Amino acid sequence: MGRRPARIPEVLHNRNFALYYTGQSLSVLGDAIVPVALAFAVLDLGRGAGALGLVLAAGIAPGVLLVLVGGVVADRIERRRLMVACDLVRFGSQAAQGVLLWTGHATLLSLVLLQLVWGTAAAFFRPASTGLVAEWVEPDRLQQANGLVGLSDNLAYTVGPAVAGVLIAVFSPGAALLADALTFAASAVALSLARPAARTAARTAANAAEASASVLRGLAEGWQEFRSRTWLWSMVLWAATFHLLALPSVLVLGPAVAKSDLGGASAWAAIAACSGLGAVVGGVIALRYRPRYLLRATFVPLGLYGLQLVALAVPARTAVVAAAALVGGVGVAMFNVYFYTALQQHIPLPVMSRVASYEWLGSIALLPVGQALVGPVAAATSVPGVLLVAGGWMLVSPVVLYLIRSARELRAVDDSPQTVVADATPVPAGGAA
């Protein structure tokens, strides 16, 4: 007889990770509330879509501009303390926005400036968190840790908009932002209660001598580690095409197809809900299924994201598009868990945050470009044509990715002990791969 699965995932017995996971789950739920709250806050100020776009962009822009610097800083100081500081800054920015909205003193300028503060703190928090999980969690439990985090993220973005709607309807947009501020306070408290792990102390001591080194040197070292791994930069390059072509086609052209051919907003709401449900299912699968080859396990699920794009191009019935969206959500959620597990298992811990910052920037930077261009391109050609091109690329992606030998043969650490490199010494800038 096989061993009965534990009711509580083993990684949650790790006190430090349990504290991080609790605080981060609350924080992400708060983040899921914010877009809806800001939308109604801007409307209450008598502004339109352009103003809302400016406010939302103010929260994203610092991440694009500063995430590489954030990776350097996170690799040189204690990540936990940096993340606590970032949480406290975001608590202050969101609390200030909430109070200003609640009291009727908010302006478009104040919202933009405070969103810039929030985005700046997020730019430092993001790469630090990737490294912190690798510091605190045993290599063979990283997949479980990432699976739990991904599942919580997907659940948060499924229920977050509904929570925001209740808070706005009962109180005000300011109340929703104050709730978000409290989640950052909770995250800061949870991280403060954690105890530095042995590997944290070792890494801090090893990096103490580098603390005064130039940012450019730190970036060069991170870039050397990033570019020396074909499996890594090739997957990031693929992710860049996904964010340039596939995701904008769904986000921008999908609602237009729903309005013109599928019955309007209710149809798109059903499709979006199924996509979110698929992400939750994918998170559960990734939490339970432990593949020998981490990236290879994601190739076919990722390719199935193209079904939704093809279904929209036809267009198929709403139920068919929704089913395809559910399948696509499964694939993306699985990829996120397995890819970050691979990153944390195979990148040296002293440069983890720098490499993670290059990964994030390379993957996401083209998303706003795609969102800006997909509409004009579809107008100049055709909506079905753009959707078919995007869907076709996704459907052939498994074949393209399988051709990359280092990606298809990348093993999970527990199946190949010699690949445990989390504490390895980083390759010097300009050194051999």
Side-chain angles (χ1 to χ4, degrees):
M1 293 179 64
R3 187 180 64 176
R4 182 174 298 176
R7 296 193 178 192
I8 299 176
E10 292 177 351
V11 73
L12 289 178
H13 294 293
N14 179 326
R15 180 178 182 273
N16 281 356
F17 175 77
L19 286 166
Y20 164 83
Y21 175 67
T22 301
Q24 192 63 14
S25 297
L26 292 171
S27 176
V28 172
L29 178 60
D31 288 344
I33 292 172
V34 169
V36 178
L38 286 177
F40 282 92
V42 171
L43 292 175
D44 286 350
L45 293 176
R47 303 286 186 150
L52 176 58
L54 180 63
V55 172
L56 294 177
I60 297 172
V64 176
L65 297 174
L66 297 174
V67 69
L68 295 181
V69 177
V72 173
V73 173
D75 278 335
R76 290 182 175 172
I77 65 176
E78 187 182 341
R79 293 183 176 115
R80 180 183 65 92
R81 291 183 178 179
L82 175 61
M83 291 164 64
V84 169
C86 291
D87 274 337
L88 292 176
V89 170
R90 291 187 289 179
F91 164 75
S93 68
Q94 301 305 80
Q97 288 184 83
V99 170
L100 288 172
L101 287 167
W102 191 288
T103 59
H105 292 91
T107 64
L108 180 62
L109 178 60
S110 69
L111 293 179
V112 168
L113 292 177
L114 289 169
Q115 280 297 103
L116 285 171
V117 173
W118 179 93
T120 299
F124 287 82
F125 186 95
R126 185 177 293 112
S129 66
T130 302
L132 190 74
V133 173
E135 277 186 28
W136 284 356
V137 177
E138 298 84 352
D140 62 341
R141 293 183 180 174
L142 280 170
Q143 180 188 323
Q144 192 177 78
N146 288 317
L148 284 171
V149 171
L151 184 60
S152 293
D153 288 356
N154 293 328
L155 286 171
Y157 279 97
T158 300
V159 306
V163 174
V166 172
L167 289 171
I168 293 168
V170 176
F171 301 105
S172 71
L177 285 162
L178 287 172
D180 183 38
L182 291 177
T183 67
F184 287 119
S187 178
V189 170
L191 288 170
S192 297
L193 293 174
R195 304 187 187 100
R199 286 199 291 171
T200 302
R203 183 187 67 85
T204 302
N207 287 356
E210 298 183 16
S212 60
S214 71
V215 171
L216 290 178
R217 176 185 166 187
L219 291 174
E221 291 172 351
W223 173 250
Q224 169 64 14
E225 289 289 337
F226 177 82
R227 74 176 182 85
S228 68
R229 292 167 170 80
T230 301
W231 67 266
L232 177 57
W233 62 256
S234 61
M235 295 302 296
V236 170
L237 183 60
W238 176 88
T241 68
F242 172 81
H243 288 102
L244 176 66
L245 184 61
L247 187 57
S249 295
V250 169
L251 297 179
V252 177
L253 302 182
V257 172
K259 182 177 181 180
S260 61
D261 297 291
L262 301 179
S266 60
W268 186 247
I271 293 168
C274 284
S275 179
L277 177 60
V280 173
V281 173
V284 173
I285 293 173
L287 183 62
R288 306 291 297 175
Y289 173 56
R290 299 173 64 87
R292 175 177 297 180
Y293 299 98
L294 285 167
L295 299 180
R296 189 191 303 182
T298 70
F299 292 167
V300 171
L302 280 176
L304 295 178
Y305 192 90
L307 296 176
Q308 178 183 0
L309 291 154
V310 173
L312 285 168
V314 172
R317 292 181 301 171
T318 299
V320 174
V321 179
L326 188 148
V327 172
V330 170
V332 172
M334 289 176 63
F335 172 76
N336 287 336
V337 172
Y338 293 141
F339 177 76
Y340 279 103
T341 299
L343 186 73
Q344 291 163 339
Q345 287 184 344
H346 292 269
I347 301 298
L349 190 57
V351 293
M352 180 79 67
S353 293
R354 277 170 283 180
V355 172
S357 67
Y358 278 109
E359 176 277 320
W360 185 87
L361 185 62
S363 299
I364 303 295
L366 291 180
L367 177 58
V369 177
Q371 290 175 316
L373 292 180
V374 69
V377 171
T381 55
S382 70
V383 170
V386 173
L387 288 168
L388 284 174
V389 169
W393 166 243
M394 291 301 301
L395 290 172
V396 303
S397 286
V399 176
V400 175
L401 294 174
Y402 191 83
L403 293 175
I404 304 168
R405 180 178 178 180
S406 60
R408 73 172 183 267
E409 295 184 356
L410 190 75
R411 287 174 175 256
V413 157
D414 53 344
D415 287 311
S416 182
Q418 67 268 26
T419 61
V420 181
V421 297
D423 292 308
T425 301
V427 178

